[in-house]
Amino acid sequence: MVDVLDVGEAHVQALVSPEATGQRFLLSAGWISWKEALFILHDRPVAGISVPPVKEHTATSKVTSYCSAEKGKEVLGIKYRPKADTIYETVQGAVEGGWTL
């Protein structure tokens, strides 16, 4: 998962950073499950939607990743936005845009 604002920042940094010339970057702030997204929306409700109940708040899911996004952090200096902010702002924007959830 990656916030579109982070993608935009990575593009700008790739354009202005000599170290980025000719390189490709994988961007990822990490993985999040739908269940974790529901917990975020329970903690930070968005007006206009109702979030289904979830039984228990457990630790984040463990996912093995075979790709690394460290290069983007190291070369471009990307600092990813918190996943909770991305989830909340995405749903809030969808509701403001007329989506019904």
Side-chain angles (χ1 to χ4, degrees), residues 40-51 87-101:
I40 290 167
L41 294 173
H42 273 284
D43 292 341
R44 296 175 67 181
V46 175
I49 68 161
S50 134
V51 177
I87 294 295
Y88 175 81
E89 291 168 10
T90 298
V91 173
Q92 183 181 42
V95 170
E96 288 173 358
W99 287 55
T100 55
L101 304 173

Side-chain angles (χ1 to χ4, degrees):
M1 176 184 135
V2 64
D3 193 298
V4 69
L5 297 174
D6 295 330
V7 174
E9 177 64 23
H11 275 88
V12 170
Q13 293 305 317
L15 289 170
V16 300
S17 172
E19 297 85 20
T21 302
Q23 296 195 53
R24 293 176 185 228
F25 297 90
L26 173 71
L27 303 177
S28 176
W31 189 86
I32 187 168
S33 70
W34 286 110
K35 186 175 182 179
E36 290 172 86
L38 289 176
F39 285 125
I40 290 167
L41 294 173
H42 273 284
D43 292 341
R44 296 175 67 181
V46 175
I49 68 161
S50 134
V51 177
V54 285
K55 292 185 180 182
E56 60 184 57
H57 194 169
T58 56
T60 58
S61 302
K62 295 179 183 176
V63 174
T64 301
S65 176
Y66 297 101
C67 299
S68 172
E70 290 301 312
K71 184 175 162 185
K73 291 180 186 178
E74 294 167 7
V75 176
L76 303 176
I78 298 300
K79 293 182 177 113
Y80 294 104
R81 296 169 50 80
K83 292 182 262 185
D85 291 351
T86 299
I87 294 295
Y88 175 81
E89 291 168 10
T90 298
V91 173
Q92 183 181 42
V95 170
E96 288 173 358
W99 287 55
T100 55
L101 304 173

